[in-house]
Each structure stands twice: as C-alpha cells, then as structure tokens.
Amino acid sequence: MANFVTFARNKSIYCYFKRAFCTASKSKPAVTLNESTDHALEAGQFKPRHHEGRLTTGCTSVPEPLINSILRSCKDHPVKALLAEGIKLDNFLRSRKAPLEHDELRKKINDLRHSVGDDFKTKLDVTTMSEEQVIYINKAIEAQAKKRAKQQIYAWKPINYDEFKSLQYLLGRAAAEYAVLIRIFDEIKKRDAQFKPRSFIDFGSGVGTGTWAVSNLWKEHIFEYVSIDASADMNELAELILCGGQLNKGMSLRNVFYRQFLPASHNKYDIVLSAFSLFELPSKKNRLEVIENLWNKCDGYLVLVEQGSYAGFSLIEEAREFLLKKLQSSEIEYHIFSPCPHHQQCPRMKLDDGTPCNFELSYNPLPLGKTSEASKFLYSYIVFKKGKPSEQSSYPRLIRPTLVRSKHSICRMCTESGQLQEIIFTASKHGKNLYRCARVSRWGDQLPIKIDQTT
C-alpha cells in the first residue's frame, strides 16, 4: 500500500511539471553541448561533474572561529532558551508576507464589510426595523467585519530587534543565511575569476552574515565593509562577534563600519547586498526607493536575496522588474548575472500558478542543540552586474532537482528564450558527454548547452 501511495504521489508531481514546462510539448529542440566543454571532456581535462555550470556547493557550515565567537557572545544568556526562541523566530520569518498596500488593505476591509452586510440582509428585513435597530445592526456588522479582518487579513508589523531578539536571530537564522550568501558569492567568484572587490556594503546587515561570507572569499582584497542596520543592538552584536565575543579585543577584519541608515554620500561599492531585508520595509514605495539607492551605489554586483516562499520570490521579482524597466533607457552596460539567463518577463509569473522560482541548499545548524543533522533552506535571489555579459550568463539554469532515471535524466530549466523547458537527456540522442553533464547537474546549476528551438 505504501509503495502505491509513493508511486501515485511521484506520478502526480511528474504530471504537474508536464503541464508547467513548455518542453513537455510537441516541439523537440536541438540541444548541443558547449564546444569548449565538449573538447575539454574529450581531452580528459576534467570530469563531467566538474563542468563549468556546476555551481552548487555541498553542505555549508559556519567556520569554527565564528562559532566560538557566537558562543562567547551568548555566554551571559540562557543559550537553550535562546535557541528555542530562535527556531520560533526562524519559522515565523520563513512564512512572513509583505505588508499590504494602503489601497489594497482598504479594499479588502470594504469587501469584508459588504460580505458581512449581505449575510445580515439575507436573515433580516431592514425595511421593517426601527432607526435604533438599524444602528445596532450596523454596529454588529462593523464588529463582525473587524473580527473577520483579524482572521483573514495578514497583519504585517515591523520587528523590533532589541538585544534579546537579536540573539534569537543569531541562533535561529545565522547558519542558514551564511550558507545562502556563500553559495551566491561563490558563484560570482567561480564565474568571474578576475573580480577582486575592494569594497562591500550590506543593507539590513543584521548579525553580519554578509560580512562573514564576503570576507571568507575575498578577505585579502576588501578594504572597506559598511554594514547598515536600523537596530543599534544588531550592530553591536555583529561587532561583538567580529571581536571574537570579547569587547576588549580588536576586530578580526579591518575597516568595518556600522550605520543605522544608508549613507547619503555618492560612494560606489564593488558588492552591494540586501539579504532578507525587504520584508522589513513598510511599503512598495519604500522598497523601490531602497533598491534604486542600492543600484546607484553599485559599481560591480548588486545582490538581492529573500525567502524562497512565494512572498519572498514576489519581492525579488518586483525588484527585478523595477530595475529592468528603469535601466531600459540607461547608457550603463548591465545584465542579470544570476540566476536568470534572460531579461524577459519571468516565466513563473507568466504561469501565475503560485509556484516560486527558488533554490534549495543544505547547511549545518550551529552546534548548540541536541541534533547536528543537516537542514534545508529555500531562497530566491537576483544578481545584477554592471558590465557586459559573458557567454555563461545565457546558459540554462536548472530550477528544480534533476530526475535521474535508468538510462535517461530529466532536467527542468529556465532558458535564454525566457521559457521553462523540460528536456529528457539520453546518451544515444545527446551524446555521452552531454548526458553525463546533465546527469550530475543539480538544482541551481547551469548547463553549458545551446538550445535551438527552430528545429
């Protein structure tokens, strides 16, 4: 019975993707492996699992020196209680939604009032009531509408990160966020080996995971780190961690600056980051103003990251559409570095099926609780780069896990044409090199292939 249920579930998932991905259609495009990759594989320069599109990292852990700093930073607090509260905060943030716009909120409340009023009208004859009774009924309608509004309308409110809440965030979120940023920055380093960033700014820096990640990869090059967070307690905690958890010690990095607001200066930074911060802004207007400001401060890469929920993906897509529209008439050379291989409308938004474009990674939680098992984290992101795109920027991106089957593998990809495509790779049809490359590629990787839709 269990086997039958598993089969039915897998079959339903496969049928869903057959409907969602346009390649499951009648056309069979010609797919060829990048010529240089093919030649390198034939010459034995590297194995298929090391092809240039393999970008995903393994299970990421916070470095031991940082773990020791975190433990020392929490030594005066009940770590077990903090960890339990941190897990609750993490669960809340993973399910968070953006605040409703004022007009949208007002419309929802009015719709609820009309709905409640219609319910009362079907039960009562208002025409036969006295004026006092009508007033009483209107008050009852208003009270019922408010009750339904609390139940049905998402009540967004900003989070006050005081000292205790900052520690909760550190224990509940830092390991996952660090792993995400390592994954994104590592792709930049692999694909742009000549990039040597000299400056870094992090909007919504929190406990400093952005600084941890960027210094892990480019510590010898970066001479300025600017961390922006509205919470003074967050900034103090981030600084304490870089001091090894001891206030009387110097920081392990040079030229680290903390601010509560974005600087008004026109300074440019090689890497501009906003990670898991857009949900904290109260309106779309505020979000777009911040994104425009961050782009104006960017002199290399702009990295935006959010939760892998549909709400998080929607904020990333909002930023993507805004920047693409804003930059249409710009003379500055730019392109989407990752993950999109195109500048067209996101095909996920075209489908409008409530499925986010997100990616998954494994990470090791901080070694504080009883369990040390690896955890999973879903995230959505976009990376804009100032400058000309390379050939690799147009490679298809795997947006779901590769289905490895007997003598064939199924890859679901977002392609240069702005389409979602599902391709079944076999050695007989596509050649052993391409087949092996597809077989070892993972969710979030690129495939170094060319898809010809005209055949």
Side-chain angles (χ1 to χ4, degrees), residues 357-426:
C357 178
N358 56 16
F359 302 91
E360 183 183 71
L361 56 70
S362 298
Y363 71 97
N364 288 314
L366 296 174
L368 302 175
K370 294 180 180 179
T371 178
S372 58
E373 294 180 1
S375 299
K376 303 285 187 182
F377 192 84
L378 288 171
Y379 63 99
S380 295
Y381 76 108
I382 189 79
V383 180
F384 278 82
K385 181 187 177 184
K386 289 188 175 179
K388 294 181 179 179
S390 65
E391 180 186 8
Q392 189 169 351
S393 296
S394 63
Y395 288 169
R397 175 85 54 170
L398 274 71
I399 58 170
R400 286 295 179 265
T402 301
L403 302 178
V404 178
R405 301 292 183 260
S406 176
K407 296 185 180 181
H408 70 278
S409 296
I410 305 170
C411 294
R412 289 81 62 91
M413 302 171 288
C414 184
T415 67
E416 185 181 11
S417 63
Q419 302 288 329
L420 298 180
Q421 291 197 253
E422 180 183 276
I423 297 179
I424 301 173
F425 291 96
T426 64

Side-chain angles (χ1 to χ4, degrees), residues 253-371:
L253 296 174
R254 57 182 179 176
N255 299 328
V256 182
F257 306 99
Y258 294 94
R259 303 282 186 272
Q260 288 184 268
F261 305 97
L262 273 170
S265 66
H266 298 291
N267 292 349
K268 300 281 187 178
Y269 299 86
D270 293 328
I271 301 178
V272 178
L273 171 68
S274 171
F276 308 100
S277 302
L278 297 179
F279 275 113
E280 302 305 319
L281 300 175
S283 69
K284 180 178 180 178
K285 181 176 181 290
N286 293 125
R287 291 193 297 269
L288 298 185
E289 284 176 352
V290 165
I291 290 163
E292 183 174 13
N293 200 342
L294 293 177
W295 176 254
N296 291 335
K297 293 185 179 300
C298 174
D299 201 29
Y301 289 90
L302 171 63
V303 181
L304 306 175
V305 193
E306 282 300 336
Q307 287 291 148
S309 61
Y310 189 79
F313 161 63
S314 297
L315 292 187
I316 293 296
E317 180 58 20
E318 175 185 86
R320 180 183 184 274
E321 288 183 359
F322 170 73
L323 284 175
L324 287 177
K325 185 176 181 180
K326 173 182 171 59
L327 297 172
Q328 277 180 350
S329 57
S330 173
E331 296 181 359
I332 299 173
E333 285 189 311
Y334 73 95
H335 65 281
I336 295 177
F337 179 84
S338 178
C340 315
H342 60 86
H343 287 190
Q344 301 174 46
Q345 183 186 5
C346 175
R348 276 289 178 212
M349 299 305 286
K350 285 182 186 177
L351 285 173
D352 194 24
D353 60 358
T355 303
C357 178
N358 56 16
F359 302 91
E360 183 183 71
L361 56 70
S362 298
Y363 71 97
N364 288 314
L366 296 174
L368 302 175
K370 294 180 180 179
T371 178

Side-chain angles (χ1 to χ4, degrees), residues 156-256:
W156 178 91
K157 60 180 180 179
I159 300 174
N160 177 28
Y161 285 103
D162 56 18
E163 181 183 0
F164 196 72
K165 186 73 76 174
S166 299
L167 289 167
Q168 292 174 22
Y169 193 95
L170 172 64
L171 300 191
R173 297 275 298 185
E177 292 188 5
Y178 173 78
V180 169
L181 296 177
I182 281 288
R183 158 70 184 82
I184 295 170
F185 290 146
D186 189 59
E187 177 176 350
I188 293 174
K189 188 169 185 177
K190 284 179 180 177
R191 289 177 51 191
D192 191 356
Q194 304 304 315
F195 179 59
K196 302 291 189 292
R198 299 284 290 160
S199 55
F200 168 71
I201 186 169
D202 185 358
F203 174 77
S205 54
V207 296
T209 49
T211 297
W212 305 352
V214 80
S215 63
N216 182 285
L217 296 171
W218 293 290
K219 184 177 180 179
E220 67 276 18
H221 301 293
I222 298 179
F223 72 91
E224 182 184 19
Y225 303 83
V226 180
S227 298
I228 312 295
D229 200 285
S231 168
D233 290 302
M234 276 285 203
N235 288 333
E236 289 175 7
L237 179 58
E239 185 175 0
L240 179 62
I241 292 168
L242 289 184
C243 292
Q246 301 174 14
L247 285 174
N248 58 348
K249 288 186 64 177
M251 283 194 284
S252 57
L253 296 174
R254 57 182 179 176
N255 299 328
V256 182

